[in-house]
Amino acid sequence: AYDPRSKKKLTLLMEPQALVEVCGGIFSPYLDPNRRKDLARVAADALVLIFPGGDRPFELLLPWSGSKHEVSTATISRDEVKVSHRSSAERVVQRSGKLFRCALRITGHELVVSVYSHVVSSVTGDTQLIFNFYSPKVSEATECALTENDQIARIGRPVLKFPEGTIRAAVIRRLCRFFKADIVQDVSDDSKSLLVDLLPPKKDFISDYQDMQRLPGEEVAVRPV
């Protein structure tokens, strides 16, 4: 950064963990070496410019879970104050393959859930789902990837096999019940982090119905009527 008035130059070094968190997680498409310009835009948009006042020069800070400084996520304009409910990566460049986006309550926490489809292999056609969880309360985001086998074990078949529209949205909401969210505070400072875990599949009416379809063979004398 350069201030023409004071002729001060400032260089900010970003840690790899901070850059991964800011761009949306380890599955972010902006980590592709061919999209370095988009990654630079995402990182620049996440920076916060602070004027301490007095004779102290300006400062550049990067708000992330490992930061030692408490910064605000509010963007101040002339006549209003707006608080962003999107991560920096979503504000700069729209990620392709979006299937779902809605504010949901995950184990008592209000989160913005975005779901994207990601092609793992163009040869086999395998596709996984990327769940992006963003907490406006602590300005933290995390991601979780679900393979097709993970989806089948919990809802019976892959999400992309369901028709688009309200049916697919309802299926994704049902799939979100298998996530557990928690906001933990770092013992070393006052920063908070968002943690989301995928719960194991459990028995429900879908699995019971599938068990009923597995009829015994001809060698079994007693069959259900």
Side-chain angles (χ1 to χ4, degrees):
Y2 176 71
D3 183 14
R5 178 175 297 180
S6 62
K7 297 182 180 181
K8 179 190 175 183
K9 296 181 181 180
L10 183 63
T11 301
L12 177 65
L13 299 179
M14 294 186 181
E15 299 183 20
Q17 298 87 345
L19 191 59
V20 170
E21 181 177 317
V22 167
C23 73
I26 59 176
F27 299 102
S28 174
Y30 311 123
L31 295 178
D32 188 340
N34 296 326
R35 304 189 63 177
R36 293 180 178 178
K37 290 185 178 181
D38 292 337
L39 181 61
R41 294 171 57 192
V42 169
D45 182 76
L47 295 176
V48 176
L49 181 62
I50 297 179
F51 294 92
D55 297 333
R56 299 177 59 185
F58 68 92
E59 298 178 2
L60 275 179
L61 297 179
L62 178 65
W64 69 292
S65 59
S67 176
K68 303 299 181 181
H69 301 275
E70 188 72 20
V71 296
S72 173
T73 58
T75 302
I76 303 177
S77 59
R78 293 183 179 179
D79 54 353
E80 60 180 352
V81 176
K82 297 181 180 179
V83 178
S84 174
H85 294 281
R86 295 184 297 168
S87 61
S88 301
E90 290 183 308
R91 291 198 303 266
V92 178
V93 184
Q94 294 294 330
R95 179 188 291 186
S96 60
K98 180 183 290 185
L99 302 177
F100 177 84
R101 178 180 174 85
C102 185
L104 299 177
R105 180 181 291 270
I106 307 294
T107 57
H109 299 283
E110 295 289 345
L111 304 178
V112 178
V113 182
S114 303
V115 183
Y116 304 87
S117 62
H118 175 66
V119 179
V120 180
S121 175
S122 58
V123 179
T124 60
D126 294 339
T127 304
Q128 65 181 4
L129 296 182
I130 307 298
F131 282 75
N132 181 282
F133 301 92
Y134 177 71
S135 172
K137 182 179 179 180
V138 297
S139 299
E140 286 290 328
T142 184
E143 291 190 345
C144 183
L146 266 68
T147 64
E148 292 185 350
N149 292 334
D150 293 334
Q151 303 168 44
I152 294 175
R154 288 162 178 81
I155 57 175
R157 54 176 170 165
V159 171
L160 295 180
K161 298 297 182 181
F162 291 88
E164 299 182 9
T166 56
I167 296 179
R168 181 177 293 179
V171 171
I172 294 178
R173 285 189 176 93
R174 177 178 177 81
L175 189 56
C176 288
R177 298 178 182 178
F178 292 93
F179 288 101
K180 178 183 178 181
D182 192 14
I183 296 178
V184 297
Q185 184 170 354
D186 194 344
V187 295
S188 60
D189 51 27
D190 296 333
S191 63
K192 296 182 179 180
S193 301
L194 173 64
L195 300 179
V196 178
D197 296 323
L198 179 64
L199 300 177
K202 56 184 179 180
K203 285 286 185 178
D204 54 10
F205 71 93
I206 295 181
S207 57
D208 293 339
Y209 177 78
Q210 292 176 345
D211 293 337
M212 292 177 58
Q213 305 307 307
R214 304 185 182 97
L215 299 179
E218 298 179 356
E219 67 279 0
V220 180
V222 180
R223 298 185 180 181
V225 178

